[in-house]
Amino acid sequence: MSKIDPAARVADGAVIGEGTEIGPFCIIGPHVVIGKNCKLIGQVSVIGHTTIGDDCVISPFAVLGGAPQDLSYKGEPTRLVIGSGCVIREGATMNVGTVKGGGQTRVGNGGYFMNNSHVGHDCMVGNNVIFATSATLGGHCEIGDAVYIGGLSAVHQFTRIGPYVMVGGVCGVRDDVIPYGLVNGQYAVLESLNLIGMKRRKFTKQRLVTVRAFYQKLFHGAGTFAERLEAVRPLAGEDPAIAEILDFIGKGKRPLCLPAIAK
């Protein structure tokens, strides 16, 4: 059975999974579904049409399912869906979607969201991400699996960040970041590949050599970026990571985050 503190307020209609603990002064709205074996430590607000998966731990003053910070929102029953195994620390916020953005904000499994981090409306966030203190997403962002966003960094609305990217601290990310990229700077620029993250994901030495050679040709070779991109397209078959990067670039509708010296 679930365990609900007498000082919590759980509205009629809310669904609380088996083994879940709702601590003191939590507020759970009538359209909320919380999975099994979660722990809301206390003073957590889960409102709106929000679904939370199993085995999540949520710290005080987190607010999940609040209205979008978008002037077009008129109270429509849009949604926030959070996966299983997430840790959501103090003061973190995640908003429901908007009708114009598809009606849903989605967060994957295994995420770690440090204090005062924010997921804006209509964002799509992958699995096993880490958002450091006050990392912030504007609306409609797409964040791939295993992305790390450093403290006090902000991602502009509609921006895509590919999987396995590392964003340094105090960065403003305004452009799309390729998979496996490492970005830094007040206005983020692409510094290199996230080699540490790639090694942690068991890239062999040969794979690292192959992908690095591709990266150098694409971002630091002769000619304009458009010319270099066309020249490296045949390399897609050399490694899945290269194919993934080229596919990501091909699907982009916004500017790409480039090295400071790239043209």
Side-chain angles (χ1 to χ4, degrees):
M1 296 179 62
S2 57
K3 180 180 178 182
I4 300 174
D5 190 279
R9 295 293 181 265
V10 179
D12 291 342
V15 178
I16 309 299
E18 183 178 352
T20 286
E21 299 180 20
I22 308 294
F25 307 110
C26 289
I27 297 173
I28 311 299
H31 306 295
V32 169
V33 177
I34 300 177
K36 299 177 182 178
N37 301 315
C38 293
K39 185 173 183 179
L40 282 62
I41 293 172
Q43 297 174 301
V44 173
S45 295
V46 187
I47 53 182
H49 289 72
T50 298
T51 299
I52 299 174
D54 301 338
D55 303 307
C56 292
V57 178
I58 306 172
S59 293
F61 307 112
V63 180
L64 307 177
Q69 297 174 75
D70 185 304
L71 295 176
S72 71
Y73 183 70
K74 304 302 180 185
E76 299 91 348
T78 52
R79 303 189 62 80
L80 168 66
V81 178
I82 300 171
S84 299
C86 291
V87 175
I88 301 173
R89 295 298 301 269
E90 297 83 357
T93 54
M94 299 181 183
N95 295 155
V96 298
T98 62
V99 171
K100 67 180 181 181
Q104 184 176 110
T105 303
R106 180 174 288 275
V107 174
N109 302 323
Y112 194 104
F113 299 88
M114 297 186 194
N115 59 298
N116 300 308
S117 56
H118 174 69
V119 176
H121 59 86
D122 304 296
C123 288
M124 297 291 156
V125 179
N127 301 316
N128 302 311
V129 300
I130 298 176
F131 284 31
T133 295
S134 297
T136 297
L137 301 183
H140 310 276
C141 292
E142 297 179 23
I143 309 298
D145 292 345
V147 167
Y148 174 89
I149 301 180
L152 301 171
S153 289
V155 181
H156 193 278
Q157 60 185 3
F158 292 102
T159 297
R160 299 181 304 146
I161 295 182
Y164 312 110
V165 165
M166 176 172 282
V167 176
V170 200
C171 285
V173 183
R174 301 180 292 180
D175 303 319
D176 290 354
V177 181
I178 62 166
Y180 308 98
L182 170 64
V183 298
N184 255 315
Q186 180 180 358
Y187 296 110
V189 296
L190 184 65
E191 285 195 344
S192 65
L193 292 170
N194 180 17
L195 295 176
I196 292 176
M198 295 167 77
K199 290 175 181 177
R200 287 174 177 169
R201 285 160 185 84
K202 309 302 181 185
F203 273 64
T204 64
K205 187 174 182 179
Q206 183 55 54
R207 287 193 70 192
L208 290 173
V209 169
T210 299
V211 179
R212 289 181 72 180
F214 158 81
Y215 177 91
Q216 290 296 322
K217 291 176 183 177
L218 177 58
F219 291 107
H220 298 290
T224 66
F225 178 77
E227 291 169 342
R228 296 194 299 268
L229 177 60
E230 195 61 32
V232 300
R233 290 191 188 281
L235 302 179
E238 293 193 0
D239 190 275
I242 295 175
E244 190 173 2
I245 292 169
L246 290 172
D247 181 65
F248 179 90
I249 294 172
K251 292 178 178 177
K253 298 179 181 178
R254 291 175 49 82
L256 197 66
C257 185
L258 298 172
I261 60 173
K263 298 179 181 180

